Amino acid sequence: MSYVKLQLHDKGNHVVMDNGIARVTLSKPDGIVTGIEYNGIDNLLEVLNEEVNRGYWDLVWGGSGTAGGFDVIKGSNFEVIVKNEEQIELSFTRKWDPSQEGKAVPLNIDKRFVMLSGSSGFYTYAIYEHLKEWPAFSLAETRIAFKLRKEKFHYMAVTDDRQRFMPLPDDRLPDRGQALAYPEAVLLVNPLESQFKGEVDDKYQYSCENKDITVHGWICTEQPSVGFWLITPSHEYRTGGPQKQNLTSHVGPTALAVFISAHYTGEDLVPKFSEGEAWKKVFGPVFVYLNSSTDDDNDPLWLWQDAKSQMNVEAESWPYSFPASDDYVKTEQRGNVVGRLLVQDRYVDKDFIAANRGYVGLAVPGAAGSWQRECKEYQFWTRTDEEGFFYISGIRPGQYNLYAWIPGFIGDYKYDDVITITSGPHFLSCFLLTPQNIFLLQFIICAGCYIYVEDLVYQPPRNGATLWEIGFPDRSAAEFYVPDPNPKYINNLYQNHPDRFRQYGLWERYAELYPDKDLVYVVGSSDYRKDWFYAQVTRKKDNKTYQGTTWQIKFELKNIDKNHSYTLRVAIASATFSELQIRVNNANASPMFTSGLIGRDNSIARHGIHGLYWLFNVEVAGSKLLEGENTLFLTQPRSTSPFQGIMYDYIRFEAPS
């Protein structure tokens, strides 16, 4: 392919970036992407939409004394930042002043768009800034959205095993679709194409964890075959850590890059800024990648494979060198942390255990596990290898705690010392725990800021030997029994699929399986993969009322130590306006434990299988236990909606130490 010289055309109310591969048109000074011309198609974006509803940054905000609301971010000033043979970078800024209080989010916003020579697409990023003298506000959501032409883009790809031809947005209209329990879910009763009749369309069925949102988008399978992809090579600017779930692509055809949202977490992940609090953050860059198949390539799905290859190229190039904003920190200014994570649990192994495929990350200092509710600053995550070694690269300068959690072990690890990343040489002092002793290490760090923290040891919560356990501790309820969907509410993609929990209406199946009595699990004979329902939901009584549920765990004990306490560990993968009450051997007694009201994840309705992680450690007096059969009663009493409930991750009962 021959490349032409980068060109920038000023059309008065619009400006056009053109590198001979793609032409991108933006409104001026708004900075809305109104057109993308590529491979002979005059506009990949939906021409039936108004210009402001094609390609845009948006946010949802609230402020003191105002409801705030939804805001498609429009610039008020346009500036050419870079224009040379290799790069064009455009800035669309919107400044805030006190006259806008209550009318606009108190942020300075600088939206940037970048086109490089020879690049098949363009980049976009933004800098948000709140000055300390400005009023308080909350930022419930911010993202980039692209609306593509519905007559061209019919095939959507999110991951290797989550891709399909999609219905049209027209199929969701009242004359063709039947609204279900919430507006996002629609039963297609009279779609334009009969193959979709009887399916449920719901954008939440295509959510992904942050760590898996790398490339997703749409394919036009007509000739010329064209792919439109959003590539996010880093998640450092997304909130909530690697397991936080966000929307990706969905019927529209729509492609999203979401940076802040309350989905699957609730208000815990809505950043709230006070008056007197200064804040600045860079979101992106995100790469909008365009590709097309060759004339002799009859398989347009090759475009997905090519997009994944391009994603790897972008990831290897991160941090990028080209962004012109000083707020985007370049590679030479960033740091790296290298180390090893071990686990010490004498009831599993007398020796240290390598943290195999554990999650290790840096986030702002806080309590252990606080990273999953952190929603203002940057996070940097990786996974350990089989021997527990890890390498976190490209860390922005700042002060961090090192956090971790390991599949197979409950709880959260936190390295107590604050790790300071600088852009130059510095010293790091840390305590290193070995099987023999604890001693002080000091490392001299050279330029490039490599910090070595070797042999960090996590001691997961443990008092005594495991008497019984249910599930596997991986912060998900996916290993439990996920029922087949009601045949009336099918998404064919998830038939015989690993993510079978993404079908609509699974919460209703509980009452069908347990119409009169609640779940009873017998340790030693029950199988949690078949006998433990994936969510403890409410039971529908009639069209408007629901009732709480009480699950039972029956187990045998011998030689009880009446003078000491046993320990019940309950790890919860998700909770939605719920309460967990625990009783032992008397369903009518006052609970020996209650969580109080917890959770706003809404993961049950949104097919998420997990939300925020909770761990409760409950002492059970030996005097309350019986020789022979015992029963634990797990009650979730809150019952005003079908979506209240708890997803368990793992339950363990331990002997006294």
Side-chain angles (χ1 to χ4, degrees):
M1 183 181 293
S2 60
Y3 301 138
V4 301
K5 183 179 178 181
L6 270 174
Q7 300 179 64
L8 180 64
H9 306 284
D10 193 326
K11 303 288 187 178
N13 292 330
H14 295 83
V15 62
V16 180
M17 300 186 296
D18 184 355
N19 67 356
I21 302 171
R23 288 171 56 94
V24 178
T25 302
L26 300 111
S27 61
K28 191 183 74 168
D30 295 346
I32 304 296
V33 184
T34 63
I36 301 174
E37 182 180 342
Y38 174 74
N39 200 40
I41 300 176
D42 61 347
N43 199 345
L44 304 183
L45 303 181
E46 183 53 84
V47 295
L48 299 178
N49 288 2
E50 295 182 1
E51 285 194 346
V52 74
N53 189 28
R54 296 180 185 177
Y56 53 88
W57 286 74
D58 67 36
L59 58 83
V60 177
W61 71 286
S64 177
T66 178
F70 176 75
D71 179 8
V72 173
I73 303 167
K74 297 180 181 179
S76 56
N77 184 67
F78 165 71
E79 183 179 358
V80 179
I81 303 297
V82 177
K83 183 178 181 297
N84 56 44
E85 293 183 354
E86 299 298 323
Q87 177 174 339
I88 292 172
E89 180 160 342
L90 308 179
S91 168
F92 301 84
T93 55
R94 186 175 79 182
K95 301 290 186 180
W96 190 89
D97 64 66
S99 68
Q100 299 172 297
E101 185 166 357
K103 302 175 184 177
V105 60
L107 287 171
N108 285 335
I109 298 176
D110 183 357
K111 297 187 298 179
R112 299 289 183 99
F113 295 87
V114 180
M115 179 172 276
L116 303 179
S117 175
S119 176
S120 188
F122 64 98
Y123 299 84
T124 182
Y125 68 106
I127 304 103
Y128 291 13
E129 182 179 27
H130 178 259
L131 301 185
K132 65 179 181 179
E133 61 267 24
W134 288 355
F137 78 104
S138 62
L139 188 60
E141 180 178 280
T142 191
R143 64 182 189 175
I144 309 168
F146 289 95
K147 309 290 183 65
L148 307 180
R149 290 176 72 164
K150 66 181 180 181
E151 83 275 12
K152 292 188 176 293
F153 290 92
H154 298 156
Y155 192 89
M156 185 185 77
V158 175
T159 64
D160 281 333
D161 62 356
R162 297 172 67 192
Q163 46 185 271
R164 58 168 295 181
F165 284 98
M166 294 290 285
L168 292 168
D170 310 67
D171 297 333
R172 294 176 53 88
L173 298 176
D175 60 333
R176 297 190 178 278
Q178 174 188 329
L180 296 174
Y182 44 87
E184 292 83 359
V186 172
L187 179 64
L188 308 180
V189 295
N190 184 31
L192 289 168
E193 294 188 41
S194 59
Q195 70 188 75
F196 300 116
K197 185 174 182 179
E199 283 205 59
V200 170
D201 178 67
D202 181 350
K203 66 181 181 180
Y204 293 115
Q205 292 178 318
Y206 306 106
S207 297
C208 272
E209 294 181 349
N210 282 342
K211 65 181 176 60
D212 299 321
I213 303 177
T214 53
V215 55
H216 63 91
W218 291 82
I219 295 173
C220 168
T221 56
E222 301 172 359
Q223 292 299 324
S225 296
V226 166
F228 180 99
W229 310 101
L230 294 184
I231 294 179
T232 52
S234 171
H235 307 297
E236 65 182 46
Y237 42 79
R238 285 191 163 118
T239 60
Q243 284 77 42
K244 166 71 170 69
Q245 296 177 86
N246 280 307
L247 296 172
T248 57
S249 292
H250 59 80
V251 160
T254 299
L256 303 172
V258 181
F259 309 126
I260 293 175
S261 84
H263 292 146
Y264 305 96
T265 57
E267 290 294 315
D268 284 24
L269 234 64
V270 173
K272 299 174 179 62
F273 301 91
S274 60
E275 186 174 353
E277 181 177 1
W279 175 75
K280 182 185 283 190
K281 190 170 186 179
V282 178
F283 296 100
V286 170
F287 185 37
V288 179
Y289 178 59
L290 312 173
N291 61 1
S292 57
S293 58
T294 58
D295 293 338
D296 57 355
D297 184 358
N298 296 319
D299 182 10
L301 299 188
W302 170 86
L303 299 176
W304 165 250
Q305 299 300 327
D306 175 68
K308 289 199 302 176
S309 296
Q310 185 63 40
M311 181 271 294
N312 291 331
V313 171
E314 300 298 321
E316 291 171 2
S317 302
W318 188 273
Y320 292 134
S321 60
F322 62 80
S325 172
D326 291 336
D327 293 308
Y328 181 81
V329 180
K330 307 302 192 296
T331 300
E332 61 273 13
Q333 300 168 290
R334 296 182 177 229
N336 309 272
V337 173
V338 181
R340 190 185 191 201
L341 181 64
L342 304 172
V343 180
Q344 186 179 42
D345 186 339
R346 62 191 176 93
Y347 290 97
V348 176
D349 196 312
K350 292 181 180 179
D351 296 325
F352 282 63
I353 306 164
N356 182 13
R357 300 298 293 159
Y359 292 83
V360 182
L362 297 181
V364 296
S370 60
W371 54 267
Q372 69 170 343
R373 291 174 170 82
E374 200 285 306
C375 53
K376 292 182 180 179
E377 303 302 331
Y378 303 90
Q379 296 193 23
F380 304 87
W381 286 86
T382 191
R383 298 195 73 174
T384 61
D385 64 15
E386 293 181 355
E387 298 300 318
F389 291 101
F390 63 87
Y391 174 44
I392 307 174
S393 61
I395 307 162
R396 293 173 62 104
Q399 292 190 321
Y400 302 93
N401 276 145
L402 185 147
Y403 302 95
W405 73 272
I406 304 108
F409 299 91
I410 60 174
D412 281 277
Y413 172 79
K414 172 192 167 184
Y415 177 56
D416 289 334
D417 286 4
V418 171
I419 292 178
T420 300
I421 300 295
T422 69
S423 56
H426 71 290
F427 290 90
L428 171 72
S429 296
C430 67
F431 287 99
L432 180 64
L433 176 65
T434 72
Q436 290 77 31
N437 53 26
I438 298 175
F439 59 92
L440 179 68
L441 292 180
Q442 187 175 71
F443 300 101
I444 300 176
I445 307 305
C446 60
C449 191
Y450 275 83
I451 295 179
Y452 296 86
V453 283
E454 298 182 359
D455 289 355
L456 305 175
V457 178
Y458 174 50
Q459 296 178 308
R462 169 75 76 171
N463 286 338
T466 300
L467 297 178
W468 53 262
E469 58 188 349
I470 299 172
F472 178 78
D474 60 356
R475 305 190 178 215
S476 166
E479 72 267 32
F480 297 124
Y481 177 68
V482 178
D484 292 329
N486 187 319
K488 296 189 299 182
Y489 303 129
I490 295 289
N491 182 322
N492 285 321
L493 174 63
Y494 296 112
Q495 296 279 63
N496 302 313
H497 191 280
D499 288 2
R500 54 186 288 121
F501 54 81
R502 297 190 186 278
Q503 296 279 14
Y504 173 86
L506 297 182
W507 56 87
E508 295 180 345
R509 309 247 75 181
Y510 176 78
E512 298 170 15
L513 291 168
Y514 302 93
D516 302 313
K517 297 181 179 180
D518 285 324
L519 181 151
V520 177
Y521 186 93
V522 180
V523 173
S525 59
S526 297
D527 181 346
Y528 64 78
R529 292 164 294 215
K530 300 176 182 178
D531 303 316
W532 189 273
F533 199 75
Y534 80 102
Q536 185 172 358
V537 294
T538 56
R539 176 185 284 102
K540 188 175 183 179
K541 296 175 65 178
D542 52 44
N543 288 334
K544 295 183 179 180
T545 61
Y546 303 86
Q547 65 182 21
T549 54
T550 297
W551 290 8
Q552 298 180 42
I553 303 172
K554 294 186 177 295
F555 59 98
E556 297 278 338
L557 284 182
K558 296 180 180 179
N559 303 318
I560 296 171
D561 184 345
K562 295 285 187 177
N563 297 319
H564 294 89
S565 291
Y566 292 67
T567 305
L568 178 69
R569 313 240 184 230
V570 182
I572 291 177
S574 175
T576 301
F577 292 105
S578 298
E579 178 183 357
L580 175 61
Q581 298 176 354
I582 300 177
R583 297 171 175 84
V584 61
N585 290 327
N586 185 348
N588 299 314
S590 297
M592 65 178 182
F593 169 83
T594 178
S595 66
L597 181 63
I598 57 171
R600 296 187 177 187
D601 299 356
N602 213 14
S603 299
I604 294 170
R606 292 173 176 168
H607 334 291
I609 211 62
H610 71 83
L612 292 176
Y613 176 77
W614 305 76
L615 177 62
F616 298 114
N617 305 300
V618 183
E619 288 191 2
V620 181
S623 58
K624 293 183 177 294
L625 298 171
L626 305 174
E627 291 284 343
E629 185 178 84
N630 291 264
T631 304
L632 277 173
F633 299 92
L634 307 179
T635 299
Q636 197 298 105
R638 311 272 179 154
S639 55
T640 56
S641 101
F643 305 124
Q644 287 173 282
I646 292 170
M647 293 183 186
Y648 295 93
D649 167 39
Y650 173 74
I651 302 175
R652 183 171 74 213
F653 195 65
E654 299 174 7
S657 59

